[in-house]
Each structure stands twice: as structure tokens, then as C-alpha cells.
Amino acid sequence: MDRKILTELQLDGRLTVTELAARVKLSVSPCHRRLRDLEREGAIRGYRAVVDPAAVGLNFEALVFVTMRLEDADTVSAFEKAVAAVPHVLQAQRLFGDPDYLLRVAATDLTAFQQLYDQQLARLPGVQRLNSTLVMKHVVDDRPLPG
């Protein structure tokens, strides 16, 4: 039942508890109780609007692969703290193997990305090498987790 609730909320996070209960075929009180439990346990981390980047002028996206010079705890911590402070980095993932990190970066255009790359990304602590590729098109985007 919890998986059904999570699936429905991933499709439409603005459902009322009454609408959610109807979709998962549960009465309102038990549905509300399960929903609060899922929130309290951290299965539901929050609710947000999904904004079209182009609608807010972010028409350019790149994937940046980061190879670190060193991977000691202090360097990794400093890098992760610094990269989290860069607003144009939409996602940052630490990887096994090489490269060490994958960053998803949004910018207004190529010139803005180049400035971000030179002035912020290349200066992140511990960076040895950056390798970028441009996103041509999103084929699967913001898909709900499988149920």
C-alpha cells in the first residue's frame, strides 16, 4: 500500500489526501496515517514544483565529469561542500572508479557555462581534471521511482 501511495504522489504531489485515498483504494484516515508515517520515516523527503529550465532561461545543460587529484577525507569533504554551494550544479554524484564525480550543470548558454566552468568548477578543491559533454535532449526525465 505504501508503494502505491508513493507512486501516486510521484505522479502528482499536489493530490489531496482524499484524492490520494481514492486512487489507492483506501479510506482517508488510514491513508493520511500512512502518508504521515512515510514523511516521518523519510521515504518522502519533500514536495516541490518541477520547473521547466527553458522557462526560466536555463537553456543549456552539461554533464561534467570530475577527476580528483587526491581522494583523502579532507579533500573529498572540501570538494563536496564547495560543489554544493554552486547554484548551477543541479546534481552531484560521487562515482566508483574513474571519474570520481558526475555533475549536472545548467546555464543560460554556452558563454555562461564557460564562465562557470573557468571561474567556479575548475577551481573546486582537489580537482585534477574536468571533462564535459553537452546534453542534446532529455529522453527520460524525472521519472518516478519504480513501484
Side-chain angles (χ1 to χ4, degrees):
M1 187 53 63
D2 288 348
R3 291 240 186 225
K4 287 181 184 179
I5 290 170
L6 293 172
T7 298
E8 291 299 330
L9 286 175
Q10 287 180 92
L11 296 172
D12 185 355
R14 296 184 68 170
L15 290 173
T16 66
V17 175
T18 303
E19 292 168 330
L20 179 60
R23 288 191 184 186
V24 299
K25 298 179 179 25
L26 196 62
S27 61
V28 175
S29 290
C31 182
H32 189 259
R33 191 169 38 257
R34 284 177 177 265
L35 180 59
R36 293 295 165 241
D37 288 346
L38 289 166
E39 292 170 344
R40 189 175 49 256
E41 294 165 0
I44 298 174
R45 296 188 311 201
Y47 300 89
R48 64 183 176 96
V50 178
V51 178
D52 180 0
V56 294
L58 297 171
N59 299 304
F60 186 90
E61 189 173 322
L63 300 176
V64 180
F65 300 94
V66 181
T67 300
M68 301 296 289
R69 201 174 304 112
L70 299 170
E71 292 186 73
D72 61 280
D74 290 341
T75 304
V76 166
S77 179
F79 172 82
E80 290 181 359
K81 183 177 180 182
V83 80
V86 180
H88 287 79
V89 174
L90 305 179
Q91 292 179 320
Q93 298 169 320
R94 188 169 183 196
L95 308 174
F96 280 109
D98 188 37
D100 299 304
Y101 288 89
L102 170 61
L103 311 180
R104 183 173 154 233
V105 179
T108 54
D109 55 27
L110 179 60
T111 302
F113 173 71
Q114 181 262 317
Q115 290 173 346
L116 176 72
Y117 187 98
D118 291 344
Q119 296 170 10
Q120 293 184 53
L121 300 179
R123 296 179 181 180
L124 290 167
V127 170
Q128 176 183 349
R129 182 177 62 248
L130 299 174
N131 187 8
S132 300
T133 188
L134 306 181
V135 175
M136 180 188 305
K137 169 179 148 180
H138 288 268
V139 178
V140 176
D141 193 31
D142 260 350
R143 173 182 284 163
L145 296 173

